[in-house]
Amino acid sequence: MAVFDKATKELDNLGIYEIDELDRGIIKLLSKDGRMPVTDLASALNVTEKTIRLRFKNLLENQIIDVVGVVNPIALGLKAGAIIQIKVKPQAVALVVEQLQQIREVRFITLTSGEYPLLIQVNVRDQEAITETIYQLNQIEEINGINTIVQLEIFKNTFEYI
């Protein structure tokens, strides 16, 4: 058995779903238009509707894709954004994450390497709201430093990962 075949078999035994070109095609088309009808997907990918339904079901069941509505923040009046790096006191990351999750304006939180172990992204109505959010962050005792990067213009924002 070839090394690649052995590795693939081990992944299958772990329950890891491997996507193929058809799955990639479905994901790519749905990334552009999440409401694309099964008939259009089947036609674009040159397969039957039944095949698309089965593949779509497998992608959902294996948590490769989620079906969600994506909000356009600008349409809601949220026209300002910032990326904020956060320093925290030792051993306080989990506590700070819990507190950040309670701030409505925070839309993204990630653990990072380096001097600032947390990075958040906020979307708000204007620059004053960014300032208000920074004031909120300054109220969290376990935060001992922030670096704010104001987003001036977005050149690419896509959901195409494949």
Side-chain angles (χ1 to χ4, degrees):
M1 177 180 285
V3 173
F4 178 76
D5 292 337
K6 184 177 179 184
T8 302
K9 186 172 184 164
E10 288 173 7
L11 287 174
D12 288 342
N13 290 339
L14 292 173
I16 297 173
Y17 183 81
E18 293 225 17
I19 63 172
D20 62 12
E21 287 306 310
L22 179 56
D23 292 329
R24 282 184 181 83
I26 293 168
I27 293 167
K28 189 170 186 167
L29 290 170
L30 290 174
S31 295
K32 291 179 183 176
D33 178 4
R35 296 175 52 181
M36 182 178 272
V38 172
T39 54
D40 292 354
L41 288 167
S43 177
L45 297 170
N46 214 17
V47 295
T48 66
E49 291 176 35
K50 181 178 179 181
T51 298
I52 294 295
R53 283 190 185 88
L54 287 172
R55 291 299 188 99
F56 182 78
K57 181 181 176 200
N58 283 335
L59 291 169
L60 284 172
E61 288 176 354
N62 287 285
Q63 300 177 341
I64 304 297
I65 62 172
D66 283 321
V67 179
V68 297
V70 178
V71 174
N72 176 355
I74 294 171
L76 295 176
L78 304 176
K79 297 180 181 180
I83 296 167
I84 303 172
Q85 297 171 305
I86 301 174
K87 286 184 190 180
V88 299
K89 292 179 180 176
Q91 311 302 316
V93 170
L95 180 60
V96 172
V97 167
E98 286 178 24
Q99 294 176 56
L100 293 172
Q101 289 172 333
Q102 303 307 311
I103 300 173
R104 187 173 54 92
E105 293 80 7
V106 174
R107 65 163 297 273
F108 180 81
I109 305 169
T110 188
L111 181 66
T112 63
S113 62
E115 188 177 350
Y116 297 91
L118 294 174
L119 181 143
I120 64 173
Q121 184 176 14
V122 299
N123 287 101
V124 293
R125 65 187 178 286
D126 53 32
Q127 299 300 330
E128 289 80 19
I130 291 174
T131 303
E132 291 170 18
T133 303
I134 292 170
Y135 288 148
Q136 274 186 282
L137 295 175
N138 286 328
Q139 298 301 311
I140 300 173
E141 287 183 33
E142 294 78 14
I143 292 178
N144 57 13
I146 61 173
N147 180 46
T148 304
I149 304 163
V150 176
Q151 294 173 246
L152 301 175
E153 188 171 352
I154 297 171
F155 295 107
K156 182 176 181 181
N157 185 18
T158 182
F159 296 98
E160 295 181 50
Y161 298 104
I162 294 182

